[in-house]
């Protein structure tokens, strides 16, 4: 056994250093074909072992077939021996299409038709246990060489976590030729992990130092085991080194968690900001409590859904017993993926229109009755929710993220989802946009004038009704934009808005009503608090409840953030 | 500085008070002393800080710096509105604030001096003395015939009277009265003046007013304080104040009657 | 009409309705004229009426739109529900002496805080104490920092939301998503029995009448005057020397207790309590009843709770898909066009008649108000 291992390791070395050159000449298929015909069969092991370190995709299938006695040698009419595989359905004579192992192409008869052979009439290529072991060694290392970086790194890590000394040579060989830094790091980790199991304390010590330097999160379990071993073996220097390495991992983990939480907090804050900004305008500036704000978000999200389907295969809807089909453009590739770019302005527009319709029909009568506006808009919210259910169904609908939003980027073990990075960036843009609208446009000037003194503005000839309508449209449109966003992050369903409405109000109230900078600060504050508490309490619901309690207590400390004292009239 | 002898006679001391709203100095280093039984008139152009001045005394806002004391040494800045009211400082607001959905009679009942606790009001029974007192007040404010009217149905001037009645029902030591004559006819204004004059001596009164004819009427014996930009511009007899050039410049110069 | 006459009419009306509810309906039920189903349904409406009164006491009378009443209603329900769960004994599906859901969660013994709920007096006391305490603490904090108007609504909404989040969790050990159901016994009687249900109906009716009379008395006390004064001009109340926060706290706790008792009566009649009863939407629904019935009156919430829920029972069966459109639409319409609710309709008609009569009289000049 030991002898064999050594042989394999030696051969692996040989194969990887020398065989690499050979690969360029012979394809993996050709090598396997050669091995199948090799005489004496002992030669086969050598030939197969030359495949070590190859990443060719055909190897796995061919070797598997060989092991399952599905690799045959066909003797052609001219007497030459050709290794073949049989594919396709069996016909009534049990024959199947024969494919050459060396090329992967069917064998053609003289008539130009593909040759059909019967499995039982052929001899399967033999395999001994030694050969199977050699094959396994090749297969194990196959993924180490795959050109797919993610797959390669994951294969390296799997080997490392297995801590199998047999794989050390292959990893070390790979280390010599690996050019990608992230894969190099993975290799260093894997090798150190395997060496952790080495009998020699010096090697162990060195590997512990290496692991301390790498401080990868994945090595924590192995380090804990090593620490236990060292303590059991009463080896203080090893135990100390293991502890050092574990500390390094722990402190790295803390850093990762910290920045991860920070990032998630920022992204949650951005989401809150985007959903609450519209509310900050309708509630903060206009004093209207729009309980249907959440449904404006849902309008935006459903708009995104519809736009996506128009870019795709179309959408069949059957609201209220009428069924109709929205034709799709059946686009694909980048054009399909660009649907989101079109969905953004459209979701703003659709929500703004719904908001304006709502303002005209319901809210305009209730400007001086905030509690009533709360109730009436809740009625509207029920109405809209049921409308979504009837049109789009009660279940969540599927909005797929375009590829440029669904990937992520890992930096020092911290995962940055592109959709969340996008949310943060976009929140910044929206805040900037709203600020510009309010401070640099004539609409903004009118909005601020009306909000400060409705009657005075009306006396100055401002058409306050129009300004109200547009302001409400702006607030609702922003909610729609938020909906487009949320469709990329969570589910889109009839009660989408309900899950955000409480958070929305909290954000605006904590920020100080009518105070847009306050809203920004409070959105990020609540987002960060929520994510940190989740991290600390290890329970999202408890975290959320704690945030609610914290907000109530916060308002004890700073109720003045909410109320503006006016002294002229008593009630104000 | 005040001597001890003066102190015993002081009921309200405002010293070095400053109040800033968002960077705007509404009150700057204000000093104001009110004697027991005094009727003081405070005038000043719009934005002079008259309402903020009342807000500070009644605990509606807190000063940034300075002290506000009641009587000997009760620090008003540490108390809130209802505690200050219970000490005996009543306030009438510029825009009349009455309970519009309550009857005139109920408005007065709620204002009557007496226990203010939750359970004492729950088990409260109106005594005959209280009824008599309310009747007395109703006669005084000439709303006897409208005792069962909802306060919200009263005319503006009547609401002013009702609020004065509510203030008197509390039997406060200090009355802070913000523009009592607004919305009243000349006759009503005159009667309001008479009423305030008759109350002086028993109560200490501060009246903020714009109407110069009214000010002249009530300030015939007492002092007038002119507020300007949150601080006391000058103080003295009505005629002296009227003759003061600074006052003419900032206030009277803008029109004899200010805004009404 | 003078005040004493109105009072007498009100008294007679209450006496008649009380007799109907407490005596006549149950008698008709035992005689088989009113089906068990109908009586049970009405029992539910009366519980909702208690919830509606608690909303109105705050909103209509004190100007505090609380969206937390569903929380107190459910808390009351949960407290009695815990006792009912204990009374199942080992008749559950697992035939163990502790509630099924606890076994499902891997418990073999009763958690400590469940133990005292085996006693009915304890559970009944908790129906009062727990919601009372929650209301006291929350109200103290909210009123101390002078949170009012819509901010109060938003905060109570958040409170209810937080509560429902908590009760949805399994490790709260309160049945999680499914809550409590499958009750067997209450005070030794089988809860599913018609006679038990009848007794519960009577108990609910008696409670409603007592609460009605109590609130009616309250509204006539000086405290009631202050309560409405706070609604119309809170600052004037403060400047009249009343600590408005104390009064609001008193009313808030009282309303929480009324809601909680309503919830406790509701649970054995409906046979289930789960966290979906605790959501802010349920509070808002109760607000709809009050708005539809007529806020600021005591009859309004009772009428509203019965009318809207009777309508709901019918509509959810006849037009299940349209019910929410209807509820939403009704709310908008009542808020916009009938702020006084159903009970204001007679007055409106009277005013309309009077105006018509005036118009017909035509020659006389308009009378000053």
């Amino acid at each position: 056994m030991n002898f064999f291992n050594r042989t394999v390791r030696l051969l692996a070395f040989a194969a990887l250093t020398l065989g690499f050159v050979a690969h360029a000449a012979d394809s993996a298929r050709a090598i396997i074909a050669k091995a199948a015909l090799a005489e004496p069969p002992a030669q086969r092991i050598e030939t197969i072992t030359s495949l070590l370190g190859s990443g060719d995709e055909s190897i796995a299938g061919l070797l598997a077939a060989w092991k399952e006695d599905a690799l045959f040698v066909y003797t052609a009419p001219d007497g030459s021996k050709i290794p073949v595989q049989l594919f396709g359905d069996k016909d009534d004579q049990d024959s199947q299409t024969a494919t050459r192992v060396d090329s992967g192409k069917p064998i053609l008869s003289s008539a130009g038709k593909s040759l059909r052979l019967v499995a039982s009439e052929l001899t399967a290529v033999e395999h001994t246990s030694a050969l199977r072991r050699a094959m396994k060694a090749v297969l194990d290392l196959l993924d180490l060489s795959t050109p797919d970086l993610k797959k390669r790194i994951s294969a390296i890590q799997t080997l490392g976590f297995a801590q199998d000394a047999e794989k050390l040579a292959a990893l070390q060989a790979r280390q010599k030729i690996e050019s990608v830094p992230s894969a190099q790091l993975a290799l260093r980790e894997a090798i150190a992990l395997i060496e952790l199991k080495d009998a020699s304390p010096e090697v162990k010590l060195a590997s512990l130092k290496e692991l301390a330097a790498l401080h990868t999160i994945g090595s924590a379990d192995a380090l804990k085991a090593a620490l236990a071993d060292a303590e059991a073996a009463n080896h203080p220097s090893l135990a100390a080194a293991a502890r050092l390495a574990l500390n390094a991992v722990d402190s790295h983990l803390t850093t990762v968690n910290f920045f991860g939480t920070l990032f998630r907090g920022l992204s949650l804050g951005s989401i809150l900001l985007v959903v609450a900004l519209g509310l900050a305008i309708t509630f903060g500036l206009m004093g209207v409590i729009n309980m249907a704000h959440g449904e404006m978000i849902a309008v935006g999200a459903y708009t995104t859904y519809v736009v996506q389907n128009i870019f795709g295969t179309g959408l069949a809807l059957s609201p209220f017993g009428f069924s109709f089909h929205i034709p799709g453009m059946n686009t694909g590739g980048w054009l399909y993926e660009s649907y989101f770019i079109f969905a953004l302005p459209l979701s703003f527009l659709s929500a703004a229109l719904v908001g304006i319709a709502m303002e005209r029909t319901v809210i305009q009568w209730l400007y001086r009755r905030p509690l009533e506006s709360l109730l009436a808009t809740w009625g509207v919210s029920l109405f809209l929710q049921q409308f979504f259910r009837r049109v789009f169904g009660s279940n969540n609908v599927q909005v797929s993220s375009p590829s440029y939003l669904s990937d992520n980027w890992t930096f020092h073990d911290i995962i940055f989802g592109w959709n969340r990075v996008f949310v943060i960036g976009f929140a910044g843009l929206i805040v900037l946009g709203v600020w510009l609208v309010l401070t640099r446009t004539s609409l903004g000037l009118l909005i601020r004038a009306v909000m400060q003194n409705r009657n005075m503005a009306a006396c100055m000839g401002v058409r306050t009704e129009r300004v109200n309508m547009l302001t409400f449209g702006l607030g609702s449109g922003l909610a729609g934009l938020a909906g487009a966003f949320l469709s990329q992050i969570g589910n889109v369903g009839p009660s989408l808005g309900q899950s955000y409405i409480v958070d929305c109000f909290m954000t605006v109230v904590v920020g100080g009503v009518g105070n847009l900078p306050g809203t920004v600060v409070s959105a990020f504050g609540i987002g960060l608090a929520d994510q940190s508490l989740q991290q600390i309490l290890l329970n999202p619901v408890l975290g959320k409840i704690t945030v609610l309690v914290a907000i109530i207590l916060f308002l004890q400390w700073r109720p003045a953030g909410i109320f503006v004292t006016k002294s002229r009239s008593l009630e104000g | 500085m005040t001597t001890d002898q003066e102190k015993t006679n002081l009921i309200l001391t405002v010293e070095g008070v400053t109040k800033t709203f968002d960077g705007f100095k509404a009150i700057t280093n204000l000093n104001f002393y009110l004697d027991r039984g005094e009727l003081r008139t405070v005038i000043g152009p719009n934005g002079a800080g008259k309402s903020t001045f009342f807000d500070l005394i009644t605990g509606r806002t807190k000063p940034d710096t300075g002290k506000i004391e009641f009587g000997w040494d009760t620090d008003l800045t540490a108390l809130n509105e209802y505690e200050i009211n219970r000490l005996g400082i009543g306030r009438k607001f510029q825009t009349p604030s009455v309970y519009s959905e309550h009857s005139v009679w109920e408005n007065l009942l709620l204002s009557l001096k007496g226990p203010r606790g939750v359970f004492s009001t729950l088990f409260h029974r109106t005594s005959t003395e209280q009824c008599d007192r309310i009747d007395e007040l109703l006669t005084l404010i000439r709303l006897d015939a409208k005792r069962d009217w909802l306060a919200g149905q009263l005319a503006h001037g009547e609401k002013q009277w009702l609020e004065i009645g509510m203030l008197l029902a509390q039997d406060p030591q200090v009355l802070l009265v913000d523009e009592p004559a607004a919305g009243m006819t000349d006759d009503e204004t005159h009667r309001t003046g008479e009423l305030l004059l008759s109350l002086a001596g028993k109560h200490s009164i501060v009246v903020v007013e714009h109407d110069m004819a009214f000010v002249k009427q009530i300030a015939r014996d007492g002092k007038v304080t002119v507020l300007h930009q949150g601080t006391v511009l000058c103080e003295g007899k009505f005629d002296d104040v009227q003759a003061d050039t600074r006052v003419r410049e900032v206030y009277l110069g803008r029109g004899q009657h200010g805004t009404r | 009409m003078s005040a004493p006459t109105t009072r007498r009419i009100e008294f007679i009306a209450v006496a008649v309705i009380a007799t109907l509810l407490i005596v006549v309906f149950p008698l008709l039920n035992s005689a088989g004229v009113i089906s068990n189903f109908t009586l049970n349904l009405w029992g539910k409406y009366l519980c909702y009426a208690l919830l509606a009164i608690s909303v109105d006491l705050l909103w209509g009378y004190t100007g505090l739109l609380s969206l937390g009443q569903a929380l107190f209603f459910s808390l009351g329900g949960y407290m009695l529900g815990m006792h009912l769960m204990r009374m199942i004994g080992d008749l559950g599906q697992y035939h163990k002496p502790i509630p099924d859901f606890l076994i499902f969660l891997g418990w073999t013994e009763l958690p400590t805080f469940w133990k005292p709920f085996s006693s009915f007096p304890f559970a009944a006391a908790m129906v009062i104490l727990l919601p009372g305490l929650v209301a006291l603490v929350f109200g103290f904090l909210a009123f101390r920092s002078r949170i009012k108007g819509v901010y109060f609504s938003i905060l109570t909404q958040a409170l209810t939301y937080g509560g429902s989040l908590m009760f949805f969790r399994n490790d709260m050990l309160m049945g999680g998503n499914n809550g409590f159901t499958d009750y067997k016994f209450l005070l030794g009687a089988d809860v599913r029995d018609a006679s038990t249900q009848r007794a519960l109906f009577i108990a609910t009716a008696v409670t409603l009448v007592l609460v009605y009379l109590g609130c009616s008395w309250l509204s006539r006390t000086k405290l009631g005057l202050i309560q409405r004064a706070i609604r119309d001009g809170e600052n004037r109340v403060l400047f009249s020397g009343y600590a408005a926060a104390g009064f609001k706290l008193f009313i808030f706790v009282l309303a929480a207790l009324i809601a909680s008792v309503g919830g406790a009566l509701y649970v054995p009649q409906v046979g289930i309590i789960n966290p979906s009863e605790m959501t802010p939407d349920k509070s808002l629904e109760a607000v709809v009843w009050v708005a539809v019935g007529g806020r600021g009156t005591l009859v309004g919430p009772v009428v509203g709770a019965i009318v809207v829920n009777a309508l709901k029972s019918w509509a959810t069966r006849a037009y299940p898909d349209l019910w929410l459109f209807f509820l939403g639409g009704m709310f908008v319409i009542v808020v916009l066009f009938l702020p006084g609710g159903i009970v204001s309709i007679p007055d409106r008609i009277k005013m309309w008649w009077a105006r018509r009569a005036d118009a017909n009289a035509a020659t006389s000049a308009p009378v000053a108000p």
Side-chain angles (χ1 to χ4, degrees), chain A residues 356-414:
Chain A
I356 286 174
M358 194 169 126
E359 200 272 343
R360 284 292 91 187
T361 49
V362 178
I363 290 170
Q364 66 156 323
W365 316 108
L366 299 171
Y367 277 119
R368 282 165 209 285
R369 298 191 282 163
L371 283 180
E372 270 98 332
S373 79
L374 187 157
L375 299 176
T377 50
W378 184 67
V380 174
S381 121
L382 280 186
F383 199 92
L384 286 175
Q385 276 178 54
Q386 188 64 7
F387 181 79
F388 298 144
R389 268 188 213 108
R390 301 291 289 140
V391 176
F392 296 101
S394 336
N395 297 326
N396 290 338
V397 296
Q398 204 58 48
V399 178
S400 63
S401 296
S403 62
Y404 47 85
L405 290 183
S406 53
D407 215 339
N408 63 52
W409 175 54
T410 310
F411 176 75
H412 282 278
D413 294 327
I414 308 162

Side-chain angles (χ1 to χ4, degrees), chain C residues 18 52 104 106 135 137 143 154 168 222 232 242 244 280 301 305 309 360 364:
Chain C
F104 190 74
V137 171
F143 299 134
I154 292 168
F168 267 121
K222 195 172 170 189
D232 300 332
Y242 294 102
N309 280 296
N360 287 347
S364 61

